[in-house]
Amino acid sequence: MFERLHCSRLFALLIPLLWLTGCAGKREHAVFKILSPEQTGVTFANTITTDDSLNIQTDVYVYNGGGVGIGDIDNDGLPDIFFAGNMVSSRLYLNKGNMRFEDITKQAGVSTNRWASGVTMVDINNDGYLDIYVSVSGPEWSKPEERANLLFINNGDRTFMQTIPGAFADKPPVVTTSSIGITVTGRSRMCPKKLEYCTTPVTASVPSSLT
């Protein structure tokens, strides 16, 4: 009886030891792999430089960061990347395949000099090419024209035409990101004229029907 009890206890101890040994010998493959800027060509850095006039006390949103938009701007089947920049210009990277990207910001005409805080890619004029909508933020004491959101219309040749959305052109709000609602036919509820889009502050979602 005693020997049976001793063997049972010994067996109970061996099971977790064998299980731990098996786990220690099993290595799981990493899900993600870090690629360097040298490998990808993506060198964007949203650098924030504070001083006596611009800091966390004068603008509580100074470290909120920017946004990232991913979409195929030239319909070649490869997703391109747009980075929204705060104190630096936003950047547009063209996907060349094999995880290589080319900075086409200047030639595409999408450089920014405002506090860009969010970005949405959407075919706003229904021409088959993704346009780029950039929401702009800033401290409450900044000028309205410095907070005007930006809309880059895709010309279909990897270049864009910059416009200012009419909904908030006169008195832009202080926002960080924006979502876009589209009306392909008829007028949008927020835009009384022929401009067929509207903007809604705060969220960063896009209706599923547009993706």
Side-chain angles (χ1 to χ4, degrees), residues 135-157:
S135 60
V136 178
S137 184
E140 295 183 358
W141 43 263
S142 60
K143 298 178 181 178
E145 58 269 22
E146 295 174 344
R147 300 194 306 272
N149 296 339
L150 300 171
L151 175 61
F152 296 98
I153 300 296
N154 196 327
N155 295 320
D157 57 359

Side-chain angles (χ1 to χ4, degrees), residues 63-118:
Y63 292 119
N64 267 22
V68 180
I70 298 178
D72 186 1
I73 65 165
D74 56 354
N75 295 337
D76 65 351
L78 299 174
D80 310 299
I81 308 175
F82 184 94
F83 292 95
N86 296 156
M87 300 184 75
V88 298
S89 173
S90 301
R91 293 287 178 182
L92 177 61
Y93 287 90
L94 184 69
N95 194 332
K96 308 293 287 186
N98 297 319
M99 298 304 294
R100 288 289 304 174
F101 295 84
E102 177 187 354
D103 187 347
I104 62 168
T105 306
K106 290 185 178 180
Q107 55 265 44
V110 294
S111 299
T112 59
N113 57 6
R114 304 178 185 181
W115 198 282
S117 56

Side-chain angles (χ1 to χ4, degrees), residues 3 21 28 35 37 71 96 107 109 117 122 126 133 135 142 144 154 159 187 189 192:
E3 291 181 355
T21 303
E28 295 185 0
L35 300 179
K96 308 293 287 186
Q107 55 265 44
S117 56
V122 61
N126 199 34
Y133 183 84
S135 60
S142 60
N154 196 327
T159 66
R187 298 176 181 176
R189 59 182 177 82

Side-chain angles (χ1 to χ4, degrees), residues 56-69:
I56 193 67
Q57 293 181 325
T58 60
D59 182 5
V60 295
Y61 305 111
V62 68
Y63 292 119
N64 267 22
V68 180

